[in-house]
Amino acid sequence: MADPLPSGHFCGASTSVVDNHIAVGYGDHCSSAAVLDVNAGKLLWQRAMPITSSGSPSEAKLDEHAVLEIVGGSVVVVHYQQLLGLDAATGAVRWSEVTPPTDEKVYSNCIPSDGMRRSADFVLLSHCSAKDSGNDLYVAVAVDPATGKAKQHNEFVKSTSYLTMAWVSASPLVAYLSDASKGVYETLDDSLEPVSTIEAGDALNGFLGDDGFGYSLSGISNGTSHRRSRALVTGTTMIALTSPQKPNRLAAFDLRTGAKRWEVPAPGGGIVAAPLAVEGGQVIAVVSAGQDSPDQHIVKFSLDAGAVTPVRTVSLPGSGDRRLAPWFCRLFWADGVVFGVRGIYSGQSTALVFRLG
């Protein structure tokens, strides 16, 4: 008898497709994992995850979200303060570790915030306290997916209290960190050393990551699976966006130096919802005339200089007085078309799934 399909609350998904497979987390308190074949639409396996969180099952219930990535033959899962390795082919437990870094002479109370596949390893972003001073430490950790052991780690930020931490890119490695008023993007090299810093500015006018972007594994936030950030990395360039709910600007930064390459407003005083992709040397984006207008513009910005090339305008009115608010949706570019999936603010969207173009 075939296993029933995963059901209940979905609470995480891998960020890339590996050999036509993706991993998902689901169920009450994100207690189960599954691997799906995206080509065949087939469930390969599912299993309850043996989450213990430092020996206390009750602690595992503090958070309802998990990081899952397929890498090196393992599905690496981060759930609260436990790192778990499941066999990617069968779901069998390969290893279980307390999330690194675990040097008790240096660190205390390390809480993971995000994880991502990086080539042949798994990179973890953790918030720790310094054992000697209690200062905040923000630590990048490269984990061996075959054993769960840390291969390398580095404290790339110290003594600043950030509320949100998330990976924006794995190649190159870029992290976004923010407190209640401002944020920064940090680029790290292959040895996890900081290379450049891009100041993200304040909450109203700065170049910000997506609110709630990434995961929260501390049990105090409603983090979800990786939502598309308002930053897009391609090669040594990061495309970032100012606050999305008023006429805003798109900008390009050099990740090697942190310098701004260019900054341009949205055409016609519109609102750029998100940079979606880079194709043929151009940044693809959706520009909205505002929540009161049904017109959505698919626009291309030159990657080199930001020059604008309008592609097409699509009218997508909502029911009654509702209009599409694309910044509340997940948007994707594929085969010359923008696809959207309704986000958490369901009242601001016209449909569960929609197509522009």
Side-chain angles (χ1 to χ4, degrees):
M1 180 177 177
D3 291 333
L5 292 175
S7 61
H9 171 69
F10 281 84
C11 51
S14 48
T15 58
S16 58
V17 177
V18 178
D19 296 329
N20 297 322
H21 297 161
I22 61 169
V24 297
Y26 65 97
D28 292 339
H29 309 297
C30 206
S31 57
S32 298
V35 165
L36 308 174
D37 184 317
V38 295
N39 278 358
K42 178 182 178 181
L43 174 68
L44 297 183
W45 55 259
Q46 61 177 316
R47 66 158 299 141
M49 293 187 288
I51 301 297
T52 59
S53 288
S54 304
S56 173
S58 63
E59 290 185 18
K61 297 181 180 180
L62 290 174
D63 195 73
E64 295 186 1
H65 308 281
V67 172
L68 302 97
E69 291 284 9
I70 302 175
V71 55
S74 295
V75 176
V76 180
V77 183
V78 190
H79 191 293
Y80 192 55
Q81 289 179 289
Q82 184 179 6
L83 199 63
L84 186 67
L86 306 176
D87 187 280
T90 67
V93 177
R94 299 180 70 179
W95 48 262
S96 179
E97 297 284 343
V98 175
T99 51
T102 55
D103 187 344
E104 294 182 355
K105 295 181 180 180
V106 180
Y107 305 103
S108 65
N109 193 34
C110 287
I111 303 292
S113 291
D114 201 1
M116 189 174 285
R117 170 192 170 97
R118 183 187 67 163
S119 186
D121 61 16
F122 177 83
V123 284
L124 185 67
L125 189 60
S126 288
H127 173 206
C128 303
S129 296
K131 191 72 172 180
D132 57 350
S133 65
N135 287 339
D136 291 304
L137 302 176
Y138 299 90
V139 188
V141 187
V143 175
D144 185 343
T147 65
K149 303 297 184 183
K151 298 163 62 176
Q152 58 183 159
H153 70 273
N154 185 51
E155 303 151 17
F156 64 98
V157 178
K158 299 180 182 180
S159 302
T160 304
S161 181
Y162 290 110
L163 303 176
T164 298
M165 298 188 297
W167 292 123
V168 174
S169 167
S171 180
L173 203 55
V174 181
Y176 173 75
L177 304 95
S178 73
D179 59 19
S181 61
K182 63 181 181 180
V184 296
Y185 293 96
E186 292 282 350
T187 302
L188 310 180
D189 63 17
D190 289 343
S191 61
L192 307 181
E193 291 289 339
V195 174
S196 67
T197 300
I198 297 171
E199 297 291 339
D202 63 49
L204 294 179
N205 302 301
F207 292 94
L208 300 182
D210 204 338
D211 294 337
F213 170 66
Y215 298 88
S216 167
L217 296 171
S218 64
I220 59 174
S221 175
N222 63 343
T224 61
S225 61
H226 279 89
R227 288 165 50 192
R228 182 175 295 280
S229 173
R230 294 198 295 272
L232 175 66
V233 172
T234 176
T236 60
T237 301
M238 183 180 77
I239 307 298
L241 178 66
T242 58
S243 180
Q245 297 184 47
K246 63 179 182 179
N248 56 6
R249 302 176 305 282
L250 204 63
F253 295 87
D254 189 327
L255 290 172
R256 296 166 296 188
T257 65
K260 187 186 297 182
R261 290 178 172 168
W262 52 260
E263 178 180 336
V264 296
I271 301 169
V272 183
L276 303 182
V278 174
E279 185 176 271
Q282 294 182 305
V283 182
I284 313 298
V286 170
V287 175
S288 174
Q291 188 170 331
D292 294 330
S293 171
D295 290 341
Q296 311 301 320
H297 310 283
I298 301 173
V299 177
K300 293 182 178 181
F301 296 80
S302 164
L303 182 61
D304 290 335
V308 172
T309 303
V311 179
R312 66 179 70 96
T313 297
V314 181
S315 183
L316 191 63
S319 58
D321 294 329
R322 292 294 185 187
R323 305 296 186 189
L324 173 68
W327 47 90
F328 289 147
C329 306
R330 296 187 69 172
L331 302 173
F332 305 89
W333 174 260
D335 299 325
V337 175
V338 174
F339 295 92
V341 180
R342 183 170 60 193
I344 58 174
Y345 298 96
S346 59
Q348 302 296 325
S349 301
T350 61
L352 177 63
V353 180
F354 58 88
R355 167 180 168 150
L356 301 180

CSV table of all heavy atoms in Angstrom, one decimal, residues 3-6 18-23 33-38 40-47 70 87-91:
chain,number,residue,atom,x,y,z
A,3,ASP,N,2.3,5.0,0.6
A,3,ASP,CA,2.2,5.9,1.7
A,3,ASP,C,1.2,7.1,1.3
A,3,ASP,O,1.2,7.5,0.1
A,3,ASP,CB,3.5,6.6,2.0
A,3,ASP,CG,4.5,5.5,2.7
A,3,ASP,OD1,4.0,4.6,3.3
A,3,ASP,OD2,5.7,5.7,2.5
A,4,PRO,N,0.4,7.6,2.2
A,4,PRO,CA,-0.4,8.8,1.9
A,4,PRO,C,0.5,10.0,1.7
A,4,PRO,O,1.6,10.0,2.2
A,4,PRO,CB,-1.2,9.0,3.2
A,4,PRO,CG,-0.4,8.3,4.3
A,4,PRO,CD,0.3,7.2,3.6
A,5,LEU,N,0.0,10.9,0.9
A,5,LEU,CA,0.8,12.1,0.6
A,5,LEU,C,1.0,12.9,1.8
A,5,LEU,O,0.1,12.9,2.7
A,5,LEU,CB,0.1,12.9,-0.5
A,5,LEU,CG,0.1,12.3,-1.9
A,5,LEU,CD1,-0.7,13.2,-2.8
A,5,LEU,CD2,1.5,12.1,-2.4
A,6,PRO,N,2.1,13.7,1.9
A,6,PRO,CA,2.2,14.6,3.1
A,6,PRO,C,1.0,15.5,3.3
A,6,PRO,O,0.4,16.0,2.3
A,6,PRO,CB,3.5,15.4,2.8
A,6,PRO,CG,4.2,14.5,1.8
A,6,PRO,CD,3.2,13.8,1.0
A,18,VAL,N,17.6,18.9,-6.5
A,18,VAL,CA,18.8,18.1,-6.6
A,18,VAL,C,18.4,16.8,-7.2
A,18,VAL,O,17.6,16.0,-6.6
A,18,VAL,CB,19.5,17.9,-5.2
A,18,VAL,CG1,20.7,17.0,-5.4
A,18,VAL,CG2,19.9,19.3,-4.6
A,19,ASP,N,18.9,16.5,-8.4
A,19,ASP,CA,18.6,15.2,-9.1
A,19,ASP,C,17.0,15.1,-9.2
A,19,ASP,O,16.5,14.0,-8.9
A,19,ASP,CB,19.2,14.0,-8.4
A,19,ASP,CG,20.7,14.1,-8.4
A,19,ASP,OD1,21.3,14.6,-9.4
A,19,ASP,OD2,21.3,13.6,-7.4
A,20,ASN,N,16.4,16.1,-9.5
A,20,ASN,CA,14.9,16.2,-9.6
A,20,ASN,C,14.2,16.0,-8.3
A,20,ASN,O,12.9,15.7,-8.3
A,20,ASN,CB,14.4,15.1,-10.6
A,20,ASN,CG,14.9,15.4,-12.0
A,20,ASN,OD1,15.0,16.5,-12.4
A,20,ASN,ND2,15.3,14.3,-12.7
A,21,HIS,N,14.8,16.1,-7.2
A,21,HIS,CA,14.2,15.9,-5.9
A,21,HIS,C,14.2,17.2,-5.0
A,21,HIS,O,15.1,18.0,-5.1
A,21,HIS,CB,15.0,14.8,-5.1
A,21,HIS,CG,14.9,13.5,-5.7
A,21,HIS,ND1,15.8,12.5,-5.4
A,21,HIS,CD2,14.1,13.0,-6.7
A,21,HIS,CE1,15.5,11.4,-6.2
A,21,HIS,NE2,14.5,11.7,-6.9
A,22,ILE,N,13.2,17.4,-4.2
A,22,ILE,CA,13.2,18.4,-3.2
A,22,ILE,C,12.8,17.8,-1.9
A,22,ILE,O,12.1,16.7,-1.8
A,22,ILE,CB,12.2,19.6,-3.5
A,22,ILE,CG1,10.7,19.0,-3.6
A,22,ILE,CG2,12.6,20.3,-4.8
A,22,ILE,CD1,9.7,20.2,-3.7
A,23,ALA,N,13.2,18.4,-0.8
A,23,ALA,CA,12.8,17.9,0.6
A,23,ALA,C,11.9,18.9,1.2
A,23,ALA,O,12.0,20.2,1.0
A,23,ALA,CB,14.1,17.8,1.5
A,33,ALA,N,9.4,14.8,7.7
A,33,ALA,CA,10.1,15.2,6.5
A,33,ALA,C,9.7,14.2,5.4
A,33,ALA,O,9.3,13.1,5.6
A,33,ALA,CB,11.6,15.1,6.7
A,34,ALA,N,9.8,14.7,4.1
A,34,ALA,CA,9.6,13.9,3.0
A,34,ALA,C,10.4,14.4,1.8
A,34,ALA,O,10.9,15.5,1.8
A,34,ALA,CB,8.1,14.0,2.5
A,35,VAL,N,10.7,13.5,0.9
A,35,VAL,CA,11.4,13.8,-0.4
A,35,VAL,C,10.5,13.5,-1.5
A,35,VAL,O,9.8,12.5,-1.6
A,35,VAL,CB,12.7,13.1,-0.5
A,35,VAL,CG1,13.2,13.2,-1.9
A,35,VAL,CG2,13.8,13.7,0.4
A,36,LEU,N,10.3,14.5,-2.5
A,36,LEU,CA,9.4,14.4,-3.6
A,36,LEU,C,10.2,14.4,-4.9
A,36,LEU,O,11.2,15.2,-5.0
A,36,LEU,CB,8.4,15.5,-3.6
A,36,LEU,CG,7.6,15.8,-2.3
A,36,LEU,CD1,6.8,17.1,-2.5
A,36,LEU,CD2,6.7,14.6,-2.0
A,37,ASP,N,9.8,13.6,-5.9
A,37,ASP,CA,10.4,13.7,-7.2
A,37,ASP,C,9.5,14.7,-8.0
A,37,ASP,O,8.3,14.5,-8.3
A,37,ASP,CB,10.3,12.3,-7.9
A,37,ASP,CG,11.0,12.3,-9.2
A,37,ASP,OD1,10.7,13.2,-10.0
A,37,ASP,OD2,11.7,11.3,-9.5
A,38,VAL,N,10.1,15.8,-8.4
A,38,VAL,CA,9.3,16.9,-9.0
A,38,VAL,C,9.0,16.6,-10.4
A,38,VAL,O,8.0,17.1,-10.9
A,38,VAL,CB,10.1,18.2,-8.9
A,38,VAL,CG1,10.2,18.7,-7.4
A,38,VAL,CG2,11.4,18.2,-9.6
A,40,ALA,N,8.3,13.4,-11.7
A,40,ALA,CA,7.2,12.4,-11.7
A,40,ALA,C,6.0,12.7,-10.8
A,40,ALA,O,5.0,12.1,-10.9
A,40,ALA,CB,7.8,11.0,-11.2
A,41,GLY,N,6.2,13.7,-10.0
A,41,GLY,CA,5.1,14.1,-9.0
A,41,GLY,C,4.9,13.0,-8.0
A,41,GLY,O,3.8,12.7,-7.6
A,42,LYS,N,6.0,12.3,-7.6
A,42,LYS,CA,5.9,11.1,-6.8
A,42,LYS,C,6.6,11.4,-5.4
A,42,LYS,O,7.6,12.0,-5.3
A,42,LYS,CB,6.6,10.0,-7.5
A,42,LYS,CG,6.6,8.6,-6.7
A,42,LYS,CD,7.4,7.6,-7.5
A,42,LYS,CE,7.5,6.3,-6.7
A,42,LYS,NZ,8.2,5.2,-7.5
A,43,LEU,N,5.9,10.9,-4.4
A,43,LEU,CA,6.5,10.9,-3.0
A,43,LEU,C,7.5,9.7,-2.9
A,43,LEU,O,7.1,8.5,-3.1
A,43,LEU,CB,5.4,10.7,-2.0
A,43,LEU,CG,5.8,10.6,-0.5
A,43,LEU,CD1,6.4,11.9,0.0
A,43,LEU,CD2,4.6,10.2,0.3
A,44,LEU,N,8.8,10.0,-2.7
A,44,LEU,CA,9.8,8.9,-2.5
A,44,LEU,C,9.7,8.3,-1.2
A,44,LEU,O,9.8,7.1,-1.0
A,44,LEU,CB,11.1,9.5,-2.9
A,44,LEU,CG,11.3,10.0,-4.3
A,44,LEU,CD1,12.8,10.5,-4.5
A,44,LEU,CD2,11.0,9.0,-5.3
A,45,TRP,N,9.7,9.2,-0.1
A,45,TRP,CA,9.6,8.7,1.2
A,45,TRP,C,9.1,9.8,2.2
A,45,TRP,O,9.2,10.9,1.8
A,45,TRP,CB,10.9,8.1,1.8
A,45,TRP,CG,12.1,9.0,1.7
A,45,TRP,CD1,13.1,9.0,0.8
A,45,TRP,CD2,12.5,10.0,2.6
A,45,TRP,NE1,14.1,9.9,1.0
A,45,TRP,CE2,13.7,10.6,2.2
A,45,TRP,CE3,11.9,10.5,3.8
A,45,TRP,CZ2,14.3,11.6,2.9
A,45,TRP,CZ3,12.5,11.6,4.5
A,45,TRP,CH2,13.7,12.1,4.0
A,46,GLN,N,8.6,9.4,3.3
A,46,GLN,CA,8.3,10.3,4.3
A,46,GLN,C,8.5,9.6,5.7
A,46,GLN,O,8.3,8.4,5.8
A,46,GLN,CB,6.8,10.8,4.2
A,46,GLN,CG,5.8,9.7,4.3
A,46,GLN,CD,4.4,10.3,4.3
A,46,GLN,OE1,4.1,11.3,4.9
A,46,GLN,NE2,3.5,9.6,3.5
A,47,ARG,N,8.8,10.4,6.7
A,47,ARG,CA,9.1,9.8,8.0
A,47,ARG,C,9.0,10.9,9.1
A,47,ARG,O,9.2,12.1,8.8
A,47,ARG,CB,10.4,9.2,8.1
A,47,ARG,CG,11.6,10.1,8.0
A,47,ARG,CD,12.9,9.5,8.6
A,47,ARG,NE,12.7,9.2,10.0
A,47,ARG,CZ,13.2,8.1,10.6
A,47,ARG,NH1,13.8,7.2,9.9
A,47,ARG,NH2,13.0,7.9,11.9
A,70,ILE,N,18.9,19.2,0.5
A,70,ILE,CA,19.5,17.9,0.0
A,70,ILE,C,20.9,18.2,-0.4
A,70,ILE,O,21.2,19.1,-1.3
A,70,ILE,CB,18.7,17.4,-1.1
A,70,ILE,CG1,17.2,17.1,-0.7
A,70,ILE,CG2,19.3,16.1,-1.7
A,70,ILE,CD1,16.4,16.7,-1.9
A,87,ASP,N,19.1,10.0,5.3
A,87,ASP,CA,19.5,9.5,4.0
A,87,ASP,C,18.6,10.0,2.9
A,87,ASP,O,17.4,9.8,3.0
A,87,ASP,CB,19.6,7.9,4.0
A,87,ASP,CG,20.2,7.4,2.8
A,87,ASP,OD1,19.5,7.3,1.8
A,87,ASP,OD2,21.4,7.0,2.8
A,88,ALA,N,19.2,10.6,1.9
A,88,ALA,CA,18.3,11.3,0.9
A,88,ALA,C,17.6,10.2,0.1
A,88,ALA,O,16.5,10.6,-0.5
A,88,ALA,CB,19.2,12.1,-0.1
A,89,ALA,N,18.0,9.0,0.0
A,89,ALA,CA,17.4,8.0,-0.8
A,89,ALA,C,16.3,7.2,0.0
A,89,ALA,O,15.3,6.8,-0.6
A,89,ALA,CB,18.4,6.9,-1.3
A,90,THR,N,16.4,7.1,1.3
A,90,THR,CA,15.5,6.3,2.1
A,90,THR,C,14.8,7.0,3.2
A,90,THR,O,13.8,6.5,3.8
A,90,THR,CB,16.3,5.1,2.6
A,90,THR,OG1,17.2,5.5,3.6
A,90,THR,CG2,17.0,4.3,1.5
A,91,GLY,N,15.4,8.1,3.7
A,91,GLY,CA,14.9,8.8,4.9
A,91,GLY,C,15.5,8.2,6.2
A,91,GLY,O,15.1,8.8,7.3
